[in-house]
Amino acid sequence: MKIKKSEVEHVAHLARLDISEALLEKFALQVGKILEYIDTLNEVNTDGIAGTSHAIFLTNAFREDNIKEHMQRDLALANAPEKEAGAFVVPKVVG
Amino acid sequence: MDFEAVIGLEVHAQLKTNTKIFCGCATAFGGAPNTHVCPVCLGMPGVLPVLNKQVVEFTLMMALAVDCRIARQSRFARKNYFYPDLPKGYQISQYELPIAERGRIEIEVNGTAKTVGITRIHMEEDAGKLNHEPGRPVSLVDFNRTGVPLMEIVSEPDMRSPEEAGAYLRKLRSILRYIGVCDGNMEEGSFRCDANVSLRPRGTTPFGTRTELKNLNSFKHVEKALHYEIRRQQAILEEGGEVVQETRLWNPDKNQTFSMRGKEDAHDYRYFPDPDLLPLVIDDEWIARVRNSLPELPDAKKARFEREYGLSAYDADVLTAAREVADYFEACLGEFNKPKVVANWIMGELTAHLNTENKSITASPITSASLAGLLKLMDTGVISGKIAKTVFEEMAATGKTAAAIVEEKGLVQVTDTTAIENLVDAVMAAAPAEVAAYRAGKKKLLGFFVGQVMKETRGKASPDIVNQLLKKKLEP
C-alpha cells in the first residue's frame, strides 16, 4: 500500500473534511493507486533538466501600483451567512 | 551553570505601496470595514492575482541595502491553513526560491560592533483583521488588510542578548525608513517582530530548544519579553527540566509570556508553487538600476558625519538614526557652518521641544533656516547664549524668525562697556558687605555679582564683558 489510512486521515483533517471509516479505506486504496501511477514518471530520465513549476514559458507579469475601483461592500458581503456592521461574522476566534 | 542566549528575529515590514500586492485595492489604513476589497483579495473563485511591480522594487531596495544576494529567478508559493482572517484558505508567500538571501546588518551595543546575518527576505500578503467582541461568542472580520504587501526579513540566530536584538531592530527600521519603503510604525503594526530564543551552556555550539515569542509591538516590549523568556528558560534548565518548543505570547500588562493554547495541531502548511503567478526573473540591469537609486544609508552617513564635520561617534549616531534629522542638520549647516554648535542645538533644545510636543522634525515649527538664523545672531554676539534659549522658546511658540523676535522684544545684547561699567559700579555700591567678603578671599561671590548685573539688564549684558569688568573692579 502506497499510503496509510492514518495519512489519509491526517490530510482529510488538514482540509477539514469529515470522512467515515469506510470511506477512509476506499480513499487510501484510490490515492495509493494514483501515487503508483505517478511513480511511472520517475522512470523518465530527467538528468540535466531544470525543475519547473509552470507548464508555460512566461515570466514577469506585473501591474502598476495604481488604485482601482473597489467592490461594493454589499456585494462583498452578499454570500456571508452572517454579517454585522459591514463585517463578516464568524464564531469567536481566540485572540 | 552559565547560559548563553541565542536569538533570531523575524520582521514583517509593511511596504508603502498605494495598492495591495496582487490587486488594485488601496492599502490605506483606517477605511470602513470591507471597503478596500475586490474579488481577488477576497479569494473569489476564478480570479487571477497579478504582482504589483512596486512591491518588487521596494523589496529589491531593501535586499540591496542589507547586502543580500538577489535570486535571478524566484517564485511564489501557497501556504495552506485555515483561519477566518484568510479568505482563500492559503496565504501567497515565498518559500523555496525567495527573492533574496544571505545579507547582513552591522549593529553596535555598548561600543562593541557586531554583524548580524540576514538569512532571507521574501514577499508575501498580509491577512485580514479579526475584531473580537467582548462578551459575545463571535468575531468580526475585516478584509481591508488582506493582500497588503509585506516583506519578511529573517535574521540568522546571531544575537546573544535582548540589547543586541533591540539594536538590530532599530538599525533595520532605520534602513527601511531611509530608503522609504516602510514607515516602521510598530504600534500601528506596519513593522512587526517575532523572536526565536533558546539557551545553551556558554562555550557550547548546539542550539537548545527554542520558543517563538509573538505580540511584541514595541521596541521596549521586545527587550522586556526576551529578558523574561531567558529567565524563564534558565529556571527550567537549572532545575533539570526541558524547554518545550512552542509559540508564546507576550502579555505587556503582566510582563510575562504565556503559552498559546489551541495550536496543538503541528504546522503542516503543504507549501506548493502558486500556479496563478509566473516566476519572477530579475536581471543584472534591474539590480544595477535599483542599486544606483539607493540613498546614502545610515552607516555611511554616520561615518561621513564623523569625518567631514568632526562630530563624535555618539553625536553622529544620534543625528543619522533618522534621515529627516540628518537632512535637517545638513540644511542648517548650509546657512551656518559650525557643525558642533548646530549638533548641540538639534540634539538639545530642538529634540526636547519636539518630544514635548510629540512632533517629528519634519513638522518642526522651527525650520532649519530659522534655527540657523538664531545661531548666527548668537555667534556674532548680537544676543547672548542665555537670551538665545529664550528666543528659541518664542520661535517655537510663534513660528517667527529669531531676528524678528530680538527686534520686537529689544533683546539685543548689551556690549557697550561704559553702560555695563556703570551697572557694575552700582551693583558694587549696593552690596558693600559682599565686596568686602570677596576681597577677603570669598571668590565664589563672583557669581552673585554677575547675577545682579544680568538681572539689571534682564539677561542682555554680554556675560564676557560683565565677567571681565567685575573681576577687574573687585580686585583690591
Side-chain angles (χ1 to χ4, degrees):
Chain A
M1 189 92 92
K2 288 295 282 184
I3 186 166
K4 287 193 291 239
K5 211 172 73 179
S6 62
E7 289 171 303
V8 177
E9 201 170 3
H10 174 62
V11 173
H13 171 67
L14 288 173
R16 300 295 182 269
L17 294 173
D18 205 3
I19 294 176
S20 70
E21 192 66 20
L23 270 178
L24 275 181
E25 293 271 6
K26 189 173 170 187
F27 286 152
L29 209 68
Q30 290 182 348
V31 172
K33 280 189 176 150
I34 293 167
L35 291 174
E36 265 167 40
Y37 180 71
I38 287 171
D39 271 351
T40 54
L41 290 175
N42 286 337
E43 291 164 20
V44 181
N45 183 358
T46 54
D47 289 352
I49 296 174
T52 179
S53 56
H54 259 277
I56 42 173
F57 295 98
L58 288 176
T59 57
N60 290 8
F62 296 121
R63 28 173 291 274
E64 296 302 317
D65 189 23
N66 301 323
I67 297 175
K68 285 197 178 164
E69 208 177 319
H70 296 116
M71 200 173 172
Q72 287 298 314
R73 183 159 76 180
D74 289 348
L75 194 58
L77 290 162
N79 290 334
E82 223 183 303
K83 54 204 141 185
E84 184 179 315
F88 294 83
V89 176
V90 298
K92 193 173 184 65
V93 181
V94 181
Chain B
M1 200 190 281
D2 187 20
F3 289 101
E4 173 182 67
V6 175
I7 301 166
L9 299 175
E10 280 175 27
V11 167
H12 285 89
Q14 183 183 324
L15 295 171
K16 274 167 59 175
T17 54
N18 299 320
T19 65
K20 295 185 178 182
I21 181 168
F22 298 120
C23 63
C25 290
T27 53
F29 186 76
N34 297 303
T35 51
H36 297 169
V37 296
C38 76
V40 173
C41 56
L42 287 176
M44 298 290 181
V47 297
L48 192 67
V50 184
L51 181 59
N52 182 343
K53 193 172 187 186
Q54 194 61 50
V55 171
V56 182
E57 289 273 340
F58 280 167
T59 308
L60 280 177
M61 284 174 81
M62 186 57 184
L64 291 171
V66 297
D67 280 331
C68 277
R69 295 191 191 183
I70 307 297
R72 293 302 190 272
Q73 184 164 143
S74 78
R75 69 182 180 214
F76 288 91
R78 293 184 179 181
K79 178 181 181 177
N80 301 280
Y81 65 95
F82 290 114
Y83 210 66
D85 63 7
L86 192 70
K88 296 193 296 296
Y90 59 86
Q91 177 195 28
I92 304 177
S93 179
Q94 294 195 292
Y95 186 56
E96 295 168 304
L97 308 183
I99 187 166
E101 290 179 284
R102 282 190 281 175
R104 64 198 153 86
I105 280 183
E106 308 295 331
I107 61 166
E108 199 179 299
V109 174
N110 301 325
T112 309
K114 175 167 188 170
T115 302
V116 177
I118 305 283
T119 312
R120 60 185 275 151
I121 296 181
H122 73 245
M123 300 166 278
E124 63 183 29
E125 57 179 351
D126 205 349
K129 190 162 169 32
L130 290 164
N131 293 301
H132 307 292
E133 291 281 287
R136 292 174 57 200
V138 298
S139 298
L140 302 183
V141 194
D142 174 10
F143 289 124
N144 283 349
R145 206 178 59 187
T146 304
V148 165
L150 299 177
M151 178 165 62
E152 182 172 326
I153 304 160
V154 183
S155 87
E156 289 287 301
D158 284 345
M159 289 152 278
R160 297 290 172 266
S161 68
E163 291 71 27
E164 286 185 6
Y168 167 83
L169 283 178
R170 273 184 283 273
K171 180 55 82 61
L172 194 67
R173 191 175 78 138
S174 170
I175 297 170
L176 285 165
R177 291 171 59 139
Y178 257 67
I179 61 177
V181 303
C182 169
D183 66 22
N185 190 327
M186 257 183 135
E187 284 76 13
E188 280 179 16
S190 52
F191 182 85
R192 292 170 237 164
C193 171
D194 299 334
N196 286 305
V197 57
S198 64
L199 295 187
R200 65 184 172 193
R202 198 174 296 279
T204 63
T205 318
F207 294 147
T209 306
R210 66 185 157 87
T211 56
E212 184 182 7
L213 307 184
K214 287 185 180 285
N215 197 34
L216 310 173
N217 50 14
S218 78
F219 287 100
K220 203 177 69 193
H221 288 166
V222 172
E223 294 194 26
K224 278 172 99 171
L226 283 168
H227 273 298
Y228 172 84
E229 185 61 16
I230 289 166
R231 279 199 309 275
R232 189 189 72 87
Q233 291 189 13
Q234 180 153 359
I236 292 172
L237 295 171
E238 275 169 352
E239 284 173 8
E242 278 183 20
V243 173
V244 178
Q245 183 170 340
E246 61 181 351
T247 302
R248 298 180 68 86
L249 279 185
W250 170 247
N251 182 325
D253 299 325
K254 296 194 169 131
N255 280 326
Q256 285 179 32
T257 61
F258 290 93
S259 181
M260 255 178 101
R261 273 181 291 270
K263 281 248 170 177
E264 64 274 9
D265 275 347
H267 293 312
D268 188 345
Y269 294 126
R270 294 147 291 136
Y271 283 97
F272 67 89
D274 192 315
D276 285 344
L277 289 153
L278 295 171
L280 174 61
V281 174
I282 294 160
D283 57 19
D284 292 345
E285 197 190 335
W286 193 352
I287 293 171
R289 186 172 54 70
V290 173
R291 198 190 293 279
N292 288 333
S293 77
L294 288 178
E296 184 180 36
L297 296 169
D299 286 346
K301 204 182 276 285
K302 184 187 167 205
R304 184 169 63 80
F305 275 25
E306 288 180 50
R307 195 178 62 237
E308 214 167 280
Y309 304 130
L311 296 180
S312 69
Y314 175 82
D315 288 359
D317 196 48
V318 174
L319 290 173
T320 57
R323 185 178 174 179
E324 295 76 15
V325 176
D327 289 348
Y328 186 102
F329 171 74
E330 291 202 290
C332 214
L333 283 189
E335 315 247 342
F336 177 70
N337 196 14
K338 292 205 171 171
K340 279 192 180 139
V341 179
V342 174
N344 287 342
W345 277 79
I346 291 177
M347 291 162 58
E349 307 296 319
L350 185 66
T351 302
H353 174 77
L354 295 174
N355 285 348
T356 315
E357 300 284 308
N358 198 18
K359 275 184 184 157
S360 74
I361 199 159
T362 46
S364 170
I366 300 176
T367 64
S368 55
S370 57
L371 179 62
L374 171 70
L375 300 183
K376 266 190 243 173
L377 290 179
M378 192 178 77
D379 193 56
T380 51
V382 175
I383 54 172
S384 66
K386 191 162 179 277
I387 291 289
K389 298 201 172 172
T390 315
V391 174
F392 181 92
E393 296 298 328
E394 191 69 19
M395 288 165 77
T398 63
K400 288 181 189 165
T401 66
I405 292 164
V406 167
E407 166 85 41
E408 203 174 281
K409 307 222 162 187
L411 295 172
V412 174
Q413 178 164 255
V414 177
T415 51
D416 175 350
T417 314
T418 320
I420 297 177
E421 201 170 350
N422 289 339
L423 281 170
V424 167
D425 288 342
V427 164
M428 283 173 63
E434 283 80 5
V435 172
Y438 182 89
R439 287 180 174 156
K442 217 175 161 192
K443 302 288 184 202
K444 274 203 288 191
L445 279 170
L446 183 66
F448 161 78
F449 290 109
V450 173
Q452 291 296 308
V453 176
M454 294 309 275
K455 203 168 131 193
E456 290 294 321
T457 61
R458 288 183 294 130
K460 290 187 290 180
S462 159
D464 286 347
I465 297 172
V466 172
N467 266 291
Q468 275 170 26
L469 285 172
L470 273 167
K471 275 187 193 156
K472 200 171 81 187
K473 286 182 174 273
L474 281 165
E475 289 310 314

